[in-house]
């Protein structure tokens, strides 16, 4: 099939490449000229394990193309996936859908024969209705069908998640469209993915409800961790004990820093706003947002206590600054608020991240990027494991820090408190 992905970010690039690998002809469009030029040279804009080889393979096979020309790419394609960003509005309320609606306006001038227009971006319920309205101002409804097909891939596992999804959700009432899309996804369905066809509005809401539920699960265990810290109980025991109940499940039940990333913070805010718009108080989600927003200040308070309130000139090392491992995505990572707060109090920060130096900290005084773990943790007063990268799981802290007393604050509970005690390391985990 001939596909066009509009927006070549985490979702558009990964799904475009994977679709091309399944034998489709795919054009990935982006308005960012530099990104497109780099992709044509084989330079991948994001860190995603396995992505570069697949891009190269399909680009060489001519099944995958990159372009900045949206109109021409849409004309050449039968199925158009909208994969642009839907960030939180500047005023903090709800999703900013300007990128989506701009694309809908651009697309409509290229529809001369039947096309399926799909939102893969995460959009609030009824956005599909609005896209349909915008396009139908210039194009007969017989010539297009607007579908919601939310994407559930996770950064860091994106290729695997796209190829082996738990489910494929197609929101459309149009039978012909549904058959075409079932056919498009048939290689994934035959590998075991469940395919569900719902109304367009239901598909839009499935995505937001799923993300809000996962954010709730994380926030729930983070609050239980706060209680554990007061009563000498290890939250890891609680996670295991709860997670073994198949009604609950162990995933997303690990205590840690505030949830971050490009999805949960913005999507929880957006669904709460949608609730308000339709006069429904989504009070659980609202309190999840509040609890998560408080979490970084709570952890900062713990850090102040660990250092007896004396942050000035203390050498503090962050291992990992992204919101999770196996991605370079810094959007809404808790390190973005924590590092500047510590600098403000006079702390001197060294950080190491396997995906390299981050622009977010470039302008901050007393924040230094180290090229390796050893250099980052040398002479530290406090080492904070912020992100759960595999390479942080077996560090000889004592050897690297040298002869200095230090505290290890393991925000991901990677290490065993008992083993750390045996090694005489001043170890503090989350919820223990
Ligand atoms: P992103 O910011 O990485 O990429 C969006 C791309 O769209 C950018 O490269 C931008 O230049 C491009 N773009 C914007 N307007 C354009 C236009 N008019 N024409 C051409 N290109 C345009 O975003 P992302 O992380 O891939 O997320 C995209 C959507 O998918 C969001 O709604 C997000 O919530 C959703 N989503 C993201 C993930 C994830 O893990 N990142 C997972 C599931 C769903």
């Amino acid at each position: 099939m001939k596909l066009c992905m509009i927006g070549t970010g985490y979702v558009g690039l990964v799904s475009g490449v994977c679709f091309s690998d399944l034998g489709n002809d795919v054009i990935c469009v982006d308005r960012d000229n530099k990104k497109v030029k780099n992709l044509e040279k084989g330079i991948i804009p994001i860190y995603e394990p396995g992505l570069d080889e697949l891009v190269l393979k399909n680009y060489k096979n001519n099944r995958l193309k990159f372009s900045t020309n949206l109109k021409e790419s849409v004309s050449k394609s039968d199925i158009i996936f909208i994969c642009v960003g839907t960030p939180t509005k500047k005023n903090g309320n709800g999703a900013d859908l300007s990128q989506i609606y701009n694309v809908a306006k651009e697309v409509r001038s290229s529809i001369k024969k039947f096309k399926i227009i799909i939102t893969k971006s995460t959009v609030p319920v009824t956005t599909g209705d609005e896209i349909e309205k915008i396009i139908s101002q210039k194009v007969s409804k017989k010539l297009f069908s607007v579908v919601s097909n939310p994407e559930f891939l996770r950064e860091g596992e994106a290729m695997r998640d796209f190829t082996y999804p738990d489910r494929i959700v197609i929101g459309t009432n149009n039978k012909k469209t549904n058959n075409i899309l079932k056919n498009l996804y048939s290689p994934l369905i035959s590998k075991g993915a469940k395919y569900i066809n719902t109304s367009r509005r239901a598909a839009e809401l499935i995505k937001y409800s799923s993300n809000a539920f996962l954010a709730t699960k994380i926030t729930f265990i983070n609050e239980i961790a706060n209680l554990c810290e007061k009563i000498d109980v290890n939250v890891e025991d609680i996670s295991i004990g709860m997670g073994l109940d198949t009604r609950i499940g162990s995933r997303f039940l690990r205590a840690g820093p505030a949830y971050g990333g490009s999805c949960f913070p913005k999507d929880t805010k957006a669904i709460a706003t949608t609730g308000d718009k339709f006069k429904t108080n989504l009070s659980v989600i609202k309190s999840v947002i509040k609890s998560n927003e408080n979490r970084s200040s709570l952890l900062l308070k713990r850090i102040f206590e660990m250092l007896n309130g004396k942050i000035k000139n203390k050498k503090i090392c962050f291992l990992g600054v992204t919101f999770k491992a196996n991605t370079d995505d810094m959007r809404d990572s808790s390190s973005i608020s924590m590092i500047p707060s510590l600098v403000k109090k006079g702390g001197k920060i060294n950080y190491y991240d396997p995906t390299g130096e981050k622009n977010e900290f470039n302008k901050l005084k007393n924040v230094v990027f180290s090229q390796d773990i050893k250099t980052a943790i040398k002479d530290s007063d406090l080492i904070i494991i912020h992100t759960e990268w595999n390479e942080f799981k077996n560090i000889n802290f004592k050897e690297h820090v040298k002869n200095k007393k230090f505290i290890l604050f393991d925000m991901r509970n990677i290490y065993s408190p008992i083993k750390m005690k045996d090694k005489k390391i001043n170890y503090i985990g989350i919820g223990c």
Side-chain angles (χ1 to χ4, degrees):
M1 291 186 200
K2 292 192 186 327
L3 315 182
C4 170
M5 319 303 293
I6 303 178
T8 307
Y10 287 85
V11 166
L13 181 57
V14 170
S15 39
V17 171
C18 291
F19 273 133
S20 68
D21 205 50
L22 293 173
N24 301 289
D25 289 325
V26 181
I27 311 176
C28 286
V29 180
D30 207 284
R31 62 181 175 187
D32 182 339
N33 197 30
K34 193 173 160 206
K35 194 182 257 188
V36 169
K37 285 273 160 307
N38 278 341
L39 278 162
E40 284 172 334
K41 285 186 218 146
I43 302 167
I44 311 297
I46 53 172
Y47 176 90
E48 188 60 50
L51 184 61
D52 40 2
E53 292 104 33
L54 216 61
V55 169
L56 211 69
K57 179 184 151 196
N58 288 287
Y59 187 66
K60 275 188 181 163
N61 283 345
N62 243 351
R63 280 201 299 258
L64 180 66
K65 293 194 172 74
F66 300 103
S67 175
T68 48
N69 192 332
L70 188 145
K71 288 188 176 140
E72 188 187 82
S73 307
V74 170
S75 296
K76 287 181 181 165
S77 309
D78 303 314
I79 306 178
I80 320 299
F81 286 91
I82 303 177
C83 308
V84 297
T86 49
T88 303
K89 274 186 192 157
K90 286 217 166 75
N91 66 9
N93 290 330
D96 173 357
L97 297 173
S98 55
Q99 293 182 45
I100 297 277
Y101 295 146
N102 284 340
V103 168
K105 282 177 196 151
E106 280 190 79
V107 161
R108 64 187 179 186
S109 56
S110 304
I111 303 180
K112 307 284 181 246
K113 61 179 181 95
F114 184 76
K115 295 194 193 297
I116 299 176
I117 317 290
I118 300 180
T119 39
K120 225 179 207 330
S121 298
T122 304
V123 293
V125 64
T126 70
T127 303
D129 304 2
E130 193 57 36
I131 295 173
E132 189 173 281
K133 208 164 112 192
I134 293 173
I135 299 178
S136 65
Q137 283 163 358
K138 303 268 172 179
V139 184
S140 156
K141 278 194 181 173
K142 284 188 194 143
L143 283 185
F144 72 97
S145 171
V146 175
V147 178
S148 166
N149 168 216
E151 183 49 58
F152 298 99
L153 62 78
R154 292 161 300 168
E155 288 173 18
E157 314 266 351
M159 316 288 284
R160 201 205 146 274
D161 283 351
F162 185 88
T163 318
Y164 300 97
D166 294 333
R167 78 293 207 193
I168 295 154
V169 177
I170 298 293
T172 178
N173 295 328
N174 183 319
K175 268 197 183 147
K176 177 181 155 195
T177 299
N178 185 42
N179 286 339
I180 296 171
L181 294 180
K182 201 165 188 181
N183 192 22
L184 173 68
Y185 277 110
S186 60
L188 310 187
I189 300 167
S190 63
K191 281 188 206 153
K194 299 267 186 302
Y195 181 94
I196 58 164
N197 176 210
T198 65
S199 70
R200 191 166 61 206
R201 288 184 177 189
E204 289 168 339
L205 192 54
I206 285 170
K207 173 65 188 179
Y208 272 110
S209 308
S210 302
N211 274 3
F213 188 79
L214 293 173
T216 304
K217 224 174 153 186
I218 295 173
T219 306
F220 179 88
I221 200 68
N222 279 344
E223 289 201 348
I224 295 295
N226 295 343
L227 176 62
C228 288
E229 282 161 19
K230 304 268 167 64
I231 54 175
D232 198 21
V233 167
N234 189 338
V235 73
E236 293 295 306
D237 291 338
I238 310 300
S239 295
I240 293 168
M242 282 179 69
L244 286 171
D245 184 329
T246 50
R247 292 169 304 176
I248 298 172
S250 57
R251 295 167 77 193
F252 289 79
L253 208 60
R254 299 276 318 280
Y259 62 72
S262 65
C263 294
F264 289 178
K266 81 172 174 65
D267 292 347
T268 43
K269 283 180 201 150
I271 190 175
T273 304
T274 300
D276 290 344
K277 182 177 162 193
F278 291 98
K279 300 199 172 11
T280 305
N281 185 15
L282 299 176
S283 63
V284 172
I285 299 173
K286 283 179 183 168
S287 56
V288 164
I289 296 168
K290 224 180 206 165
S291 173
N292 193 63
E293 282 172 354
N294 286 337
R295 181 128 192 99
S296 294
S297 342
L298 208 122
L299 294 183
L300 278 170
K301 206 170 140 219
R302 271 199 102 190
I303 293 172
F304 296 147
E305 283 163 13
M306 280 171 213
L307 295 172
N308 298 319
K310 292 174 190 143
I311 307 286
K312 200 161 189 257
N313 293 326
K314 285 286 188 313
K315 288 191 86 170
I316 302 172
C317 163
F318 269 72
L319 292 179
V321 287
T322 54
F323 78 101
K324 69 171 181 179
N326 295 323
T327 182
D328 56 353
D329 199 343
M330 283 296 286
R331 287 178 282 186
D332 271 324
S333 174
S334 59
S335 67
I336 291 179
S337 62
M338 293 180 92
I339 289 181
S341 297
L342 292 167
V343 169
K344 229 177 173 180
K345 299 257 177 202
K348 296 196 183 322
I349 313 291
N350 261 309
Y351 76 95
Y352 165 73
D353 192 281
T355 58
E357 194 167 1
K358 302 294 167 198
N359 293 336
E360 285 75 3
F361 306 127
N362 273 354
K363 286 193 183 126
L364 287 180
K365 253 190 177 175
N366 292 326
V367 179
V368 175
F369 171 72
S370 301
Q371 293 290 346
D372 54 61
I373 300 173
K374 222 168 141 177
T375 319
I377 66 180
K378 192 170 177 255
D379 295 328
S380 292
D381 296 294
L382 171 67
I383 300 164
I384 297 172
I385 301 178
H386 176 269
T387 315
E388 195 172 356
W389 285 88
N390 277 340
E391 60 188 275
F392 301 154
K393 290 183 177 167
N394 205 3
I395 301 174
N396 188 339
F397 291 100
K398 280 205 154 168
E399 188 190 302
H400 297 329
V401 183
K402 306 279 184 219
N403 301 319
K404 197 170 171 185
K405 270 193 173 177
F406 66 95
I407 301 168
L408 176 59
F409 185 19
D410 181 0
M411 286 191 190
R412 298 289 177 173
N413 290 347
I414 293 178
Y415 290 90
S416 143
I418 297 168
K419 284 189 186 152
M420 290 289 114
K421 201 173 172 193
D422 289 348
K423 288 186 178 174
K424 300 199 167 34
I425 288 179
N426 188 354
Y427 174 89
I428 300 167
I430 293 278
C432 63

